[in-house]
Amino acid sequence: MNASTLYYSNLSAHTGMQAQAPPHSCQHNKLAPRLSRGSVVCRASSKPLRKADAVIIGGGVIGLNTALTLLQKGASVLLVERGKQLCTGATGAGQGYIWMSHRSPKTAGWDLASASMDMLKRSDPDFLAEIELQATGSLLLARTEEETQGLGERASMLSKQGIHAQLLDAGAVCAREPALALPHEGSGLWVESDLQVDGRKTAAAMLAACKVYGAHFQLLMGEEVLNIQLGQQPVRTETSEHLVIGSLATIVAAGVWSGELLSAATGHSKYRQLLRPRKGHLLEMERPPSMAALKSGMMEMSYTKHYAHSSEDHLRVAPTSEEAAEGVAADITFTATSSASGSLLLGSSREFVDVASNVSAQASHAVVEAILERAQVFLPGLVGGSVLPDLIRVGLRPFAVGGYPMIGPVPGHQGLYVAAGHEGSGLALSPATAHLLASYVLEEPANMQPDTLQEVLPATRLLLAEL
């Protein structure tokens, strides 16, 4: 096509490495000034042009929730998804835990999860039915005296935050969940308020809700992003089939591919190093007839190490691409729950991989066997069970160095935003993440703790990576 005249409204500049938070009072709405627009000429392209207020790259739960939130606030949205169907990444490979029991108070992860749970509970009842919200509660399991002591400390910590947490001895745990086996010194931490959803059905329900907005919502499925062009305003994105422009924002929410996209666009290699793929397996199988049904979601206490943070966490680094390609032993921890249909969901594994590897998204027989072996320690009724190959879910979790996601404006690049690095917590953190992104794009109050806003800013994550 010939050069076209495009329009945009004034955008807030977020430049340099100084972290910035959304305004705490809404002085004006970003959608209002569009009546008086400037113009810019796009370079010639033979690809069809698509425009919207916001372009979102990535159709996982983070991208979909952000799209729906912006649509609800009056913005038009164009969503680009590289897969030909939803849930080809981490969203479709998780157990759907919406938990607080394994998180640490006074951290960004806690604040985001708490806000997200509150938002979820206020959702329309029909939507909650579609995503198969279950009030399963949660059980953190200990097998040693040391772990039991740790669960006691966690129970006290949660209670101080207003969350009712009950420490149960081994006998009480097994009375609640007859399928479980724990040694005498074992225990369990029961939190009744924790929830569970179906990741795939959540994504489908969000997409359906977005489509209700008609022409205000555009969806490009099966299109790979080739490049993000930052030379002019507004930001342009070239896909395999289209040239797309977000007049207010381009948001990178592409899971494990976010680091590569940002590094290629900005020329800053740190994004590739800060956002790394972490492969996980989830096994779905029929419950053996002789085994009692699970009523709760459960995981062994050692799983909580993936959500523990301290002042030194920013020093933790992920392996390089070369190290990941050489293979890193998978971390195996027991988790188990039942889906709404009654099938068992068993996990979990974590291992860093090279996203470009041909085997990165393929199931590993050794990892599957290790997950089953670990599960049988807690659920002896599984001994002799088998998992059919088509019931093994594999996903690449977007791990962020430091353990917190990266949410907000990309420093030095007006109109470009990122929401990535949620690892295995995309479903649990997506409502607050979407709210936070919308507050940046539309210049509305964020209504979140200032420390949390600062902690997850891309500028903050980049600064910490330099230390």
Side-chain angles (χ1 to χ4, degrees), residues 438-467:
S439 71
Y440 282 116
V441 174
L442 303 180
E443 295 184 352
E444 296 179 349
N447 298 322
M448 296 190 72
Q449 292 293 328
D451 287 349
T452 294
L453 299 177
Q454 185 81 14
E455 189 75 36
V456 300
L457 277 173
T460 302
R461 309 316 303 171
L462 286 169
L463 282 171
L464 292 176
E466 298 292 342
L467 298 179

Side-chain angles (χ1 to χ4, degrees), residues 255-277:
V256 296
W257 293 274
S258 299
E260 187 65 37
L261 287 173
L262 288 174
S263 285
T266 65
H268 203 319
S269 63
K270 282 295 181 183
Y271 289 107
R272 190 181 293 112
Q273 299 170 22
L274 286 171
L275 297 168
R276 301 302 310 275

Side-chain angles (χ1 to χ4, degrees), residues 32 47 73 101 107 112 122 132 153 162 174 186 205 210 242 259-260 276 332 344 363 383 402 431:
K47 294 181 177 178
K73 291 178 175 291
S101 61
T107 64
L112 290 170
R122 296 196 301 268
E132 294 188 351
E153 294 170 355
C174 295
C210 288
H242 293 86
E260 187 65 37
R276 301 302 310 275
I332 306 294
L344 286 175
V383 175

Side-chain angles (χ1 to χ4, degrees), residues 7 9 50 109 113 116 143 149 239 241 258 261 264 270 299 325 358 383-384 406 418:
Y7 300 94
S9 54
R50 295 282 191 95
S116 292
R143 293 185 58 82
Q149 181 179 350
T239 77
E241 303 293 335
S258 299
L261 287 173
K270 282 295 181 183
M299 64 171 64
N358 290 330
V383 175
M406 203 181 274
V418 59

Side-chain angles (χ1 to χ4, degrees), residues 33 91 135 173 184 347 380 447:
T91 297
V173 171
H184 176 73
N447 298 322

